[in-house]
Amino acid sequence: MINSVLDCVEDRTGAVSGVKHFLYEDIPASSGWHQVLGSVAMFCFLVQVVTGILLALNYAPTPPDAHASLRFILTELTSGRLIRGLHHWGASMMIVVVGMHLLQTFLWGAYKKPREATWMLGVILLLLTLGFGLTGYLLPWDNRAYWGTVVTTQITAKAPIAGPYILRLMGSEDGNIGVQTFARFYGAHVLLLPPLMMMLIGLHVFLVRKHGVAPAPVETEPKKKFFPGQVFKDTVAIFIMFSILFALATMVRVPLGKIADPTDTTYIPRPEWYFLFLFQLLKFFEGPLEIIGSMVLPGVAVGLLFATPFIDRGAAIKLRQRTFAIGIVLFAGIGWASLTFAAMRSTPHKEPYQSFTAEEVAAVGSFRQGQCWQCHGVTPGDMKAGPNLADIAVHEERDALVAHFQKNAGNRGLKDLQFRQLATFMRKLDDESVVAIASTPINVVSGAQLYMKNNCGVCHSINSAGGKSGPPLNGVAKRRDRTWLEGHFGDPQKFSPGSMMPAYKFERADMDSMLAYMETLKD
Amino acid sequence: MAEETLEKRRGFLVGSIAAMMGTISAALGLPALGYLLVPGREKKKSDWIEAADLSKLMVNQPEQIIFNRVRRDGWKLVTEKAAAWVVKTGEQQVVAFSPVCTHLGCAVSWNSGDKTFACPCHTSSFSPDGKVIAGPAPRPLDRFDVRVDGIKVMLGDVKKSAEG
Ligand code: FES
């Protein structure tokens, strides 16, 4: 039965002998585990295609809906988080695997004649992979995406002569990013790059086939077949890669932050980890030299990669004798790792609550005082009787929420005003701010509650919310020391003559909380 | 003998390749099915909307009411125009029909001549209480939830009518 179907297909299309031809190709006896990486890379791409299509089926590719629709995918749809996680981590995974594939080929010298073209195509595929990462980074349209892309466009804008044109090509007018840039990035990400990638992968594989898998310098044993031995090894490697990817996607949450806000100048942009080393490199070159870090060095590096087969034209030798190649890899690896490490260390860290208004920090206090945590988890996977706030978006109207609070936490000493503020806060929760409910230190929360109770916000502002008659409090701890602040609370006029601030005599514990809160306020 | 172990080994390899590929496909495919087929988590009930003034309605005289309602459409909140045929059936009793024909969804309108709701598309017609009189429509007109509050007529969600 099966045979007759196969025969029938074979007679009409030749597909069966085609597949057989593919599977039973002769490969050198030395082939083995070190050559699985190409297949794994290709499989990574396949995962990206599948998850990418799935995401696109529920995604509105234009701001600001892009953000809303991704939020919908994450908070409303079954497996939405998983699929987004797979796509996000899959991108990183693909970079890693492609990088390893390149390293292996380089170390073994598999780029040598007649495989120069295969190698150069591979370098182009690496660049395309990075292009996917670059264009995809903008698509969530949260602050991270927005500011990360602003930096990228600014860097390219500095290119001599071509700068303004590249900027135009990216749909940006004098460095601003808007719907046009978004459309171009999205178009490139889903319409331009994928078919290009597929064609070039096809060509790359064709060339691998044409020249055969690179043999060891001396092959003594007769050739073997690709199937099933090598296919098995490839599949095991793919399976391991996929298991790691799946674990990452389920266990490490990729937060979707606040919607992109071009006016939020306090946001610290940071590119994806695989671009961090470039980011760091830039810091070594200032002013007119900047171009060395942004264009010249990366350009030279890519040029050298392309030219590798022509620089090293010697006959194939054993891996152990390729000391120079090993040296280059070690040198590049150490350089890359230390740049990346330095970049990670030098990025200032901001706790989520540090961008909150006082009202929002105080709302965290209300959440705790109202013991809302008895029913609602606030970290992923924390299963309790009520919905987990880390997994959902709160859509309920404010009044409905207040009614819910009064019913369930009415007897825990909270005022109606606090309930209303908590309701407002709940409706604004996102993946990043929800973290603050559990992580904001107790004394900071008490400080903010005290701040609210004494109506400090009538005159002062924190994170741009509040009155204007007193000085804004962000960075106050940098301007004044602790003793000054403490004394100033008790007798403002003594410390700043002419001040119209009334004196506040706080008890010791309250004073400590207040000061602790003031100290967390960053510029 | 050597032949046989070779054959066994080959069987093992082919089997494990299939098993691993199958596992991966399931790990991708099953979530994908859930993602595409299960509707969104939140089922928002529409708010009550004040649609008509009871004192201005005449008994058994259907009146078309156009009102704005806010609806959650996927990731969006949309404000849209909606219509209802409101019929006062008693002193404090009102029913409201959805104007969507239960056949293929054309808009029905009240024909005051022969006192029926008529659909222009495939000539279904419905009696003033929504029942099918003629035509291909498979079930009575759908009804809105209705609440009468003093003289205010409030409309809620549309409930699908029962077959037949
Ligand atoms: S749609 Fe109304 S009769 Fe067909």
Side-chain angles (χ1 to χ4, degrees):
Chain A
M1 172 58 195
I2 290 182
N3 276 335
S4 67
V5 172
L6 285 183
D7 285 345
C8 169
V9 171
E10 170 65 12
D11 288 345
R12 280 152 190 85
T13 62
V16 177
S17 55
V19 171
K20 278 200 177 134
H21 176 76
F22 186 80
L23 287 180
Y24 293 109
E25 190 213 20
D26 285 325
I27 55 172
S30 65
S31 313
W33 287 106
H34 57 289
Q35 275 135 334
V36 298
L37 290 161
S39 304
V40 181
M42 201 151 91
F43 189 82
C44 280
F45 180 64
L46 197 73
V47 172
Q48 292 308 93
V49 171
V50 172
T51 52
I53 290 175
L54 284 171
L55 286 175
L57 293 178
N58 278 307
Y59 176 72
T62 192
D65 281 5
H67 184 268
S69 58
L70 183 54
R71 191 158 159 74
F72 173 78
I73 290 174
L74 298 181
T75 57
E76 300 284 323
L77 294 181
T78 310
S79 317
R81 290 248 182 224
L82 173 66
I83 287 163
R84 199 261 174 145
L86 285 173
H87 198 68
H88 174 95
W89 290 116
S92 290
M93 186 62 97
M94 184 157 165
I95 304 261
V96 171
V97 173
V98 168
M100 281 162 58
H101 183 40
L102 178 120
L103 276 186
Q104 187 271 325
T105 314
F106 181 79
L107 282 175
W108 266 257
Y111 48 75
K112 294 186 181 207
K113 196 177 158 200
R115 299 185 175 79
E116 296 96 330
T118 324
W119 166 268
M120 288 162 79
L121 263 178
V123 176
I124 296 179
L125 286 172
L126 170 69
L127 295 179
L128 283 185
T129 309
L130 292 174
F132 271 110
L134 196 75
T135 49
Y137 199 63
L138 180 62
L139 304 185
W141 198 248
D142 57 2
N143 262 336
R144 198 166 104 107
Y146 178 86
W147 290 104
T149 307
V150 166
V151 174
T152 318
T153 45
Q154 297 294 352
I155 290 174
T156 41
K158 297 229 170 77
I161 308 162
Y165 300 101
I166 301 178
L167 209 56
R168 268 318 294 151
L169 194 65
M170 294 202 283
S172 168
E173 206 95 56
D174 20 282
N176 290 329
I177 291 185
V179 283
Q180 223 182 348
T181 303
F182 190 95
R184 301 212 176 168
F185 274 47
Y186 179 73
H189 193 78
V190 307
L191 290 175
L192 185 65
L193 292 174
L196 205 61
M197 187 89 171
M198 285 180 207
M199 265 160 35
L200 294 185
I201 289 178
L203 211 57
H204 189 70
V205 173
F206 168 77
L207 286 181
V208 171
R209 287 277 143 147
K210 183 173 158 61
H211 300 302
V213 171
V218 233
E219 292 277 347
T220 44
E221 302 199 14
K223 293 202 166 209
K224 54 186 185 183
K225 299 286 180 204
F226 178 55
F227 185 82
Q230 185 66 24
V231 173
F232 173 76
K233 295 193 177 95
D234 285 7
T235 313
V236 169
I238 286 171
F239 192 75
I240 293 173
M241 182 283 294
F242 186 78
S243 307
I244 298 174
L245 175 57
F246 200 86
L248 278 173
T250 38
M251 294 190 303
V252 188
R253 173 158 296 195
V254 190
L256 174 67
K258 270 204 205 54
I259 189 163
D261 178 5
T263 61
D264 183 356
T265 46
T266 60
Y267 194 83
I268 304 153
R270 197 164 116 173
E272 198 55 311
W273 63 266
Y274 40 82
F275 287 123
L276 271 182
F277 73 103
L278 270 179
F279 194 63
Q280 185 68 16
L281 195 61
L282 276 184
K283 296 186 189 158
F284 298 133
F285 302 96
E286 274 171 16
L289 291 182
E290 199 172 31
I291 179 122
I292 297 181
S294 64
M295 305 274 153
V296 179
L297 286 181
V300 168
V302 172
L304 280 176
L305 266 183
F306 268 113
T308 301
F310 309 105
I311 298 171
D312 170 25
R313 312 182 64 122
I317 45 174
K318 279 211 194 89
L319 174 61
R320 252 180 258 146
Q321 290 157 356
R322 290 179 54 82
T323 40
F324 189 62
I326 296 175
I328 291 179
V329 169
L330 283 181
F331 178 73
I334 292 171
W336 178 84
S338 36
L339 281 174
T340 307
F341 184 68
M344 297 216 287
R345 277 203 25 182
S346 62
T347 320
H349 180 69
K350 212 171 168 186
E351 287 292 330
Y353 68 82
Q354 286 179 306
S355 25
F356 282 7
T357 62
E359 186 184 315
E360 288 164 343
V361 182
V364 169
S366 305
F367 185 93
R368 294 178 181 172
Q369 193 183 334
Q371 299 180 16
C372 308
W373 44 265
Q374 292 213 359
C375 296
H376 297 283
V378 290
T379 44
D382 186 4
M383 304 286 263
K384 295 207 173 130
N388 185 327
L389 298 176
D391 291 335
I392 61 157
V394 177
H395 295 298
E396 280 73 13
E397 297 296 328
R398 227 162 66 122
D399 294 343
L401 286 174
V402 170
H404 169 83
F405 299 152
Q406 277 161 343
K407 184 163 150 255
N408 295 292
N411 55 357
R412 299 202 175 119
L414 288 162
K415 304 215 173 63
D416 273 1
L417 176 66
Q418 287 173 303
F419 280 146
R420 282 205 295 282
Q421 288 166 346
L422 180 58
T424 311
F425 177 63
M426 285 294 127
R427 284 167 53 84
K428 272 197 290 201
L429 276 191
D430 58 38
D431 288 352
E432 276 167 3
S433 51
V434 74
V435 174
I437 296 182
S439 72
T440 313
I442 294 174
N443 53 358
V444 172
V445 173
S446 324
Q449 283 176 312
L450 217 57
Y451 182 93
M452 293 302 291
K453 202 160 92 196
N454 289 295
N455 294 318
C456 306
V458 172
C459 297
H460 294 282
S461 67
I462 287 175
N463 291 324
S464 320
K468 296 221 160 39
S469 46
L473 294 175
N474 286 85
V476 69
K478 221 161 71 185
R479 302 194 293 269
R480 310 290 189 190
D481 64 12
R482 209 180 160 97
T483 15
W484 190 95
L485 285 173
E486 190 168 343
H488 184 269
F489 273 117
D491 187 358
Q493 284 70 27
K494 185 171 148 208
F495 288 82
S496 41
S499 164
M500 46 190 260
M501 176 163 154
Y504 291 95
K505 304 261 183 261
F506 293 129
E507 291 183 13
R508 190 65 248 161
D510 283 354
M511 178 61 87
D512 285 341
S513 309
M514 199 55 160
L515 292 173
Y517 182 42
M518 292 298 120
E519 273 161 5
T520 64
L521 301 173
K522 293 231 169 112
D523 285 313
Chain B
M1 185 61 206
E3 212 37 17
E4 210 171 281
T5 39
L6 219 63
E7 201 46 47
K8 253 198 193 146
R9 188 181 132 77
R10 194 187 151 84
F12 166 76
L13 292 181
V14 175
S16 13
I17 291 170
M20 286 186 279
M21 281 304 171
T23 312
I24 293 177
S25 311
L28 278 177
L30 296 180
L33 281 183
Y35 174 81
L36 293 175
L37 296 178
V38 180
R41 184 189 61 84
E42 194 206 20
K43 282 160 224 78
K44 187 184 195 245
K45 295 220 359 178
S46 355
D47 303 322
W48 291 96
I49 290 166
E50 188 181 335
D53 182 342
L54 189 64
S55 60
K56 295 209 178 102
L57 292 175
M58 309 243 266
V59 175
N60 286 336
Q61 184 83 262
E63 194 81 53
Q64 187 178 30
I65 308 281
I66 311 273
F67 55 97
N68 283 325
R69 66 156 61 212
V70 181
R71 190 169 58 90
R72 182 164 286 284
D73 179 9
W75 49 85
K76 278 183 121 153
L77 273 185
V78 287
T79 310
E80 59 185 8
K81 275 209 164 66
W85 284 99
V86 178
V87 194
K88 183 172 176 182
T89 50
E91 250 339 286
Q92 285 289 313
Q93 269 163 8
V94 173
V95 293
F97 296 108
S98 153
V100 179
C101 176
T102 53
H103 180 222
L104 294 175
C106 292
V108 299
S109 55
W110 177 246
N111 184 337
S112 53
D114 55 10
K115 299 224 179 300
T116 58
F117 290 105
C119 178
C121 289
H122 317 96
T123 65
S124 281
S125 63
F126 304 86
S127 64
D129 61 353
K131 295 226 174 66
V132 184
I133 303 177
R139 57 194 168 82
L141 288 173
D142 297 334
R143 296 177 181 218
F144 283 88
D145 283 339
V146 179
R147 212 170 69 188
V148 180
D149 189 359
I151 58 160
K152 284 188 272 182
V153 178
M154 321 273 280
L155 300 187
D157 283 320
V158 178
K159 288 267 149 58
K160 242 181 160 186
S161 69
E163 201 87 8

